[in-house]
Amino acid sequence: MDSHRQLFILLCLSLVLVLLSGLQVEAKRHIKYHPSKELFVFGDSYVDTGNTPKSKPGSWKQPYGITFPGKPAGRFSDGRVLTDFIAKYLGLRSPIPHKFRNIVPKNYLKYGMNFAYGGTGVFDTSTSGPNMTTQIDSFNQLVQENVYTQSDITKSIAYVSVAGNDYNHYLATNGSLQGFPSFIASVVKQTTTNLVHLQSLGFKRIVVGALHPLGCLPQTTAQNSFQSCNSTFNDLVALHNNLLNQSVTKLNQEAKDHTTFKILDIFDSFSSVLNNPSRHNIKERLKPCCFGVSSQYNCGSVDENNVKKYLVCENPETTFFWDRLHPTQAGWNAVYNELKIKSLHQILY
């Protein structure tokens, strides 16, 4: 082979390598800076990342946030919550709380927005925050203001969390066990109305969380010293999830592409972790890490002299529940790992 031909081949190879490396850099840049979807979150404390006011008990008070980010930051946990893990799965930054929309850099808006508010439900509860209908109206307002376009919404995911505040409120206002099934039906009916509303605003992928086993929450298991879950409550949760499943199946049959609505099986993932805790390095299943020194106090409570009236466990990283209602970051991470194996892929297009 003559030297001219060798030189020509070497130049061609060099050019190909330069082009390939350029394409790789461009691909990395595309992945890093141009996520293909945005995440919009509606619901309650299981997904709230800061909308609840600092004046309210809980998420903005010590010792919330001790694991991440190291101080209270509006999450009802010692660290990250479900929203953060779903965003991580999608390769997105966790969407900013609606409350902070006007004070963060504008480029943060491209990841979506979180409208969830601790303590709320699909109906009004004892919490004065916006119920789900109002949260969706707040989103619609931003669409009217052209903060988000129809093109943004079409490629985005809406996540809806209904984690049981309607049921807590029902029981707290002397709702009867006999009337519970018909109330569950009304909660699922209103949830369905909200899902249809989101569809009408242009979302092509709407994900709703199945209700987790309420009978395993520390506020329930405290009655038997955190030894076992309450099967009566979990039977009622099964009714909620069955009705939700029927409703979502019907919505998909009516939708053009038959895949708009998805259920994320939080119940199954919670149960898997609680039934096989050692697989996830969970050593304390049902007893909360942070709790009041007596029944009149909660995690984060202080008296009139600002003296703490709560205790915190030594190892939140091996404890499933953080307080009477919410998982630790480790708990959510375990649930997320189960979801990744079983059902999280279905939220993607």
Side-chain angles (χ1 to χ4, degrees):
M1 189 185 290
D2 64 57
S3 59
H4 289 296
R5 196 169 173 204
Q6 281 180 320
L7 186 62
F8 177 72
I9 290 170
L10 282 171
L11 281 169
C12 286
L13 282 170
S14 299
L15 186 60
V16 168
L17 286 171
V18 167
L19 284 169
L20 280 174
S21 66
L23 286 170
Q24 284 174 335
V25 167
E26 188 56 40
K28 282 179 184 170
R29 188 180 296 138
H30 181 76
I31 290 165
K32 189 172 181 184
Y33 298 113
H34 301 289
S36 59
K37 299 178 180 68
E38 293 162 9
L39 176 61
F40 293 92
V41 180
F42 306 90
D44 42 48
S45 59
Y46 270 37
V47 288
D48 184 1
T49 54
N51 282 315
T52 301
K54 294 186 177 182
S55 58
K56 297 229 171 183
S59 60
W60 288 102
K61 304 285 190 278
Q62 296 284 357
Y64 287 80
I66 57 168
T67 300
F68 169 84
K71 62 181 181 180
R75 288 170 172 81
F76 288 81
S77 180
D78 63 313
R80 293 171 179 84
V81 296
L82 183 58
T83 301
D84 303 303
F85 288 102
I86 292 175
K88 174 184 174 183
Y89 185 77
L90 296 173
L92 299 172
R93 183 190 182 103
S94 203
I96 60 146
H98 176 249
K99 181 170 84 175
F100 298 136
R101 67 194 181 282
N102 295 323
I103 59 174
V104 298
K106 285 287 177 275
N107 68 318
Y108 282 27
L109 301 181
K110 69 183 178 184
Y111 302 106
M113 195 170 287
N114 189 335
F115 297 84
Y117 192 109
T120 61
V122 295
F123 299 124
D124 288 340
T125 61
S126 54
T127 298
S128 58
N131 66 27
M132 193 168 293
T133 301
T134 307
Q135 291 176 27
I136 296 170
D137 288 342
S138 295
F139 167 74
N140 193 25
Q141 182 61 37
L142 294 182
V143 176
Q144 303 304 318
E145 294 167 9
N146 288 320
V147 175
Y148 294 105
T149 65
Q150 274 305 313
S151 166
D152 291 327
I153 300 166
T154 301
K155 66 182 183 185
S156 296
I157 290 172
Y159 185 78
V160 173
S161 171
V162 181
N165 290 318
D166 293 291
Y167 300 135
N168 274 338
H169 183 64
Y170 175 82
L171 290 173
T173 50
N174 298 319
S176 68
L177 271 177
Q178 292 83 357
F180 223 135
S182 62
F183 182 67
I184 290 171
S186 68
V187 169
V188 172
K189 185 179 179 186
Q190 182 57 42
T191 303
T192 307
T193 300
N194 290 328
L195 298 178
V196 171
H197 189 183
L198 287 168
Q199 181 189 29
S200 73
L201 294 174
F203 283 103
K204 304 290 186 203
R205 176 68 86 240
I206 300 159
V207 184
V208 57
L211 191 57
H212 54 286
L214 297 178
C216 298
L217 296 179
Q219 74 166 12
T220 305
T221 61
Q223 293 158 12
N224 62 31
S225 303
F226 312 109
Q227 294 306 301
S228 61
C229 300
N230 181 308
S231 58
T232 304
F233 279 147
N234 284 347
D235 287 345
L236 291 166
V237 171
L239 174 59
H240 171 104
N241 287 336
N242 286 335
L243 291 174
L244 182 66
N245 208 17
Q246 290 171 26
S247 191
V248 165
T249 300
K250 187 165 181 281
L251 288 179
N252 278 327
Q253 286 167 351
E254 294 164 356
K256 285 179 187 169
D257 60 4
H258 305 301
T259 60
T260 298
F261 302 94
K262 297 288 180 184
I263 293 176
L264 199 58
D265 199 344
I266 307 288
F267 184 94
D268 178 67
S269 296
F270 259 72
S271 300
S272 293
V273 175
L274 293 175
N275 291 333
N276 305 281
S278 59
R279 199 166 71 204
H280 299 275
N281 194 34
I282 297 294
K283 293 177 180 159
E284 185 57 72
R285 291 188 326 129
L286 300 178
K287 186 179 179 183
C289 177
C290 182
F291 48 92
V293 295
S294 68
S295 58
Q296 68 193 94
Y297 297 109
N298 295 313
C299 177
S301 291
V302 293
D303 66 14
E304 61 276 7
N305 299 316
N306 216 31
V307 174
K308 324 192 285 194
K309 291 294 178 182
Y310 62 87
L311 300 169
V312 181
C313 71
E314 285 185 16
N315 301 304
E317 69 277 6
T318 57
T319 306
F320 185 81
F321 282 110
W322 169 242
D323 60 16
R324 294 167 70 238
L325 295 168
H326 307 99
T328 55
Q329 175 174 292
W332 276 125
N333 188 52
V335 168
Y336 170 64
N337 286 329
E338 286 288 335
L339 287 169
K340 268 199 302 187
I341 296 166
K342 295 172 182 169
S343 60
L344 208 45
H345 62 275
Q346 68 176 3
I347 75 171
L348 302 172
Y349 283 84

